[in-house]
Amino acid sequence: MKSPVRPHQMVLRLATGASILNSGLSKRGADEDTAMGVHGMAVGTYPFLDKVDPISFTRALSAGEIALGTALLFPLVPNKLAGAGLSAFAAGLLGLYLRTPGMHKPRSLAPTQEGLGLSKDLWLLGAGLSLVLESCERKR
């Protein structure tokens, strides 16, 4: 069976998938303090998450990251699907960057030192959109 993923796409999927899978695995056994920190940052940007218990939120986030990372690493998952998942995840992370005070300089998108880590998630959005757009282009 031929893989639907071309070699250059697999490089992109390996890099993003391994990073996201690692992030999810590191949150899997999060203690209460870690869960409260992760949840607190998310609630600051997405207030509706305040209704979710911090431990439950962190477990769900961990499971989502593990699922997305695995989908990116598994070549039988179509690029369009893996890319859409990656794009949605990255959009949520960029929302944290754009809406959390102190992450970027006033009246600018340039990151502060505190926002540098989140600003780098822009590459995840680029990778996800690249997978989606290339799979759409190949169908023509």
Side-chain angles (χ1 to χ4, degrees), residues 95-120:
L96 283 174
Y97 172 70
L98 294 171
R99 297 177 66 189
T100 301
M103 293 292 126
H104 54 86
K105 296 174 183 172
R107 295 178 299 284
S108 172
L109 293 178
T112 61
Q113 192 62 39
E114 295 79 21
L116 196 56
L118 280 175
S119 73
K120 290 180 180 177

Side-chain angles (χ1 to χ4, degrees), residues 71-132:
L72 285 159
L73 293 171
F74 190 62
L76 294 180
V77 174
N79 281 326
K80 194 178 223 178
L81 181 61
L86 181 57
S87 297
F89 180 69
L93 292 174
L94 287 173
L96 283 174
Y97 172 70
L98 294 171
R99 297 177 66 189
T100 301
M103 293 292 126
H104 54 86
K105 296 174 183 172
R107 295 178 299 284
S108 172
L109 293 178
T112 61
Q113 192 62 39
E114 295 79 21
L116 196 56
L118 280 175
S119 73
K120 290 180 180 177
D121 291 331
L122 182 59
W123 68 273
L124 292 175
L125 182 60
L129 292 175
S130 292
L131 289 169
V132 171

